[in-house]
Amino acid sequence: MMQRILALGLNPAYQKTLVFRTLLPGGVNRAESCRASASGKGINFIRAAHRWGRAEAVVLQPLGGVVGKLLSDALEEEGLPALSIPVEGCTRTCTTLLCSTSERATEIIEPSAPLSEQESGELFDKMKRMLPDFQGLALCGTFPPGIGPEFYRDAVRLARERNMPVLLDAYKDIGECLSEGISFFKINQEELSHLMECQTPKPEEMDRFRKSHGIEVLAVTDGANPAILCTENGIYRIRIPRLEACCNPIGAGDTCDAVLFSEVLENRELPEAFALGLAAATASCMTREPAVFARDEAENLYKQTGIERMG
């Protein structure tokens, strides 16, 4: 029986991806193609989990307005399981601008509409009722105005009361959340540097941060550079193969989250689970759409990863 993961995706987005031969800032740019899909970190998480096929993941999210309906229809068409709470504010649209010449992506992010106290309460109550049906909780990204840090804090507290592992991928206003004890904290190096208030922390400094905050596992990505994994049993550096071309990096981190969490829930050793997540994330960069990848391509990239124990 598959393990089930509840993904809190409090900041969903309807994602438009525009492809340009050359993108000229300040000029008139006509896209060669445009694709739209449901997105946001929670949705990207469940999409990647679905493609990996080792766990069943369901997203819980607020949706509102015309854009919320578009997003809901896109999820249904894609066959991704979602539980959505209707809210008054219109769901945001985010736009990715892909330049074929430079192979660079520019992300345009709309502000999120605020949630009312009642809407926030309905989301939390829904999560509380659902939690017993799952074996893992993933906290995916930031929360919109109207939801405070106590939402994540109390969610972690509920999960820990059930001895349920929690994965966190966020870095803004997470102090209260970390204080409850996080099983897996996945973050990129830039964000971790911000949290630690230092430039380019060394692996041993990362591990001290992990211990000081009661984090069981700290997984730190750095784009195409080697990733660092800090655990109670040691520190590891994981090297990933470099791609000749990157089509779209949006959703790669969420893909890593989903595959890593799916694998550890199936008792895969941590370094291998993280390496598989990184391989799937790399494979997702080879496609135009967020968190979309071929599993066989990810498994081939995994064979090219290198795991080095550092201490």
Side-chain angles (χ1 to χ4, degrees):
M1 182 177 177
M2 274 192 181
Q3 302 290 297
R4 303 188 75 217
I5 302 170
L6 178 62
L8 281 183
L10 301 181
N11 240 341
Y14 190 61
Q15 188 85 29
K16 287 187 176 181
T17 302
L18 280 69
V19 180
F20 303 85
R21 183 177 299 279
T22 302
L23 187 63
L24 299 174
V28 176
N29 294 274
R30 300 186 186 279
E32 294 182 328
S33 64
C34 175
R35 302 190 69 170
S37 62
S39 191
K41 293 185 72 65
I43 291 172
N44 291 338
F45 181 101
I46 68 164
R47 177 181 291 121
H50 177 74
R51 286 185 169 268
W52 191 246
R54 292 275 283 170
E56 179 187 351
V58 179
V59 66
L60 175 62
Q61 62 191 358
L63 288 185
V66 175
V67 178
K69 180 63 166 61
L70 288 172
L71 193 152
S72 180
D73 290 346
L75 283 172
E76 184 176 353
E77 183 177 348
E78 201 172 341
L80 296 178
L83 292 164
S84 303
I85 301 296
V87 296
E88 184 175 348
C90 189
T91 300
R92 62 181 178 158
T93 297
C94 294
T95 306
T96 303
L97 311 179
L98 297 178
C99 178
S100 300
T101 301
S102 67
E103 297 181 354
R104 296 182 66 182
T106 300
E107 188 72 0
I108 310 298
I109 301 176
E110 288 186 4
S112 300
L115 270 64
S116 69
E117 184 176 347
Q118 179 180 344
E119 291 166 343
S120 176
E122 288 175 358
L123 265 171
F124 190 85
D125 289 345
K126 183 69 171 178
M127 177 208 64
K128 187 175 181 179
R129 293 194 300 271
M130 293 174 60
L131 210 54
D133 297 328
F134 293 83
Q135 289 74 51
L137 175 66
L139 307 179
C140 305
T142 58
F143 29 82
I147 291 182
E150 68 278 0
F151 195 107
Y152 272 3
R153 178 201 65 199
D154 294 344
V156 175
R157 188 173 295 169
L158 286 172
R160 300 298 282 183
E161 288 173 357
R162 303 185 62 84
N163 293 318
M164 178 184 294
V166 178
L167 180 142
L168 172 67
D169 184 350
Y171 81 100
K172 292 183 178 179
D173 300 320
I174 60 169
E176 293 185 39
C177 177
L178 289 179
S179 68
E180 293 297 321
I182 295 295
S183 311
F184 305 94
F185 185 25
K186 205 293 302 267
I187 191 169
N188 66 45
Q189 181 155 289
E190 181 180 353
E191 293 168 341
L192 184 60
S193 296
H194 176 81
L195 279 181
M196 296 178 63
E197 297 181 342
C198 70
Q199 290 187 343
T200 318
K202 297 178 181 178
E204 57 269 24
E205 294 171 328
M206 297 178 185
D207 197 45
R208 284 198 292 271
F209 175 87
R210 177 190 70 81
K211 293 175 181 176
S212 68
H213 287 81
I215 301 165
E216 295 177 26
V217 177
L218 174 63
V220 185
T221 59
D222 188 18
N225 298 317
I228 300 295
L229 180 69
C230 301
T231 76
E232 296 174 346
N233 297 319
I235 303 173
Y236 301 84
R237 177 184 286 117
I238 302 177
R239 301 181 184 277
I240 56 179
R242 290 188 175 270
L243 297 176
E244 292 184 3
C246 176
C247 290
N248 185 3
I250 306 301
D254 311 316
T255 299
C256 182
D257 294 341
V259 174
L260 165 63
F261 207 18
S262 297
E263 289 295 329
V264 295
L265 288 177
E266 289 292 336
N267 299 312
R268 173 84 69 165
E269 292 294 323
L270 281 166
E272 288 77 17
F274 191 30
L276 282 164
L278 292 165
T282 303
S284 77
C285 292
M286 301 166 66
T287 67
R288 296 290 193 192
E289 296 181 69
V292 171
F293 63 94
R295 178 165 177 167
D296 57 351
E297 186 65 50
E299 291 174 337
N300 181 55
L301 289 167
Y302 169 69
K303 295 173 184 177
Q304 302 173 50
T305 61
I307 302 174
E308 172 193 358
R309 180 166 182 146
M310 304 177 67

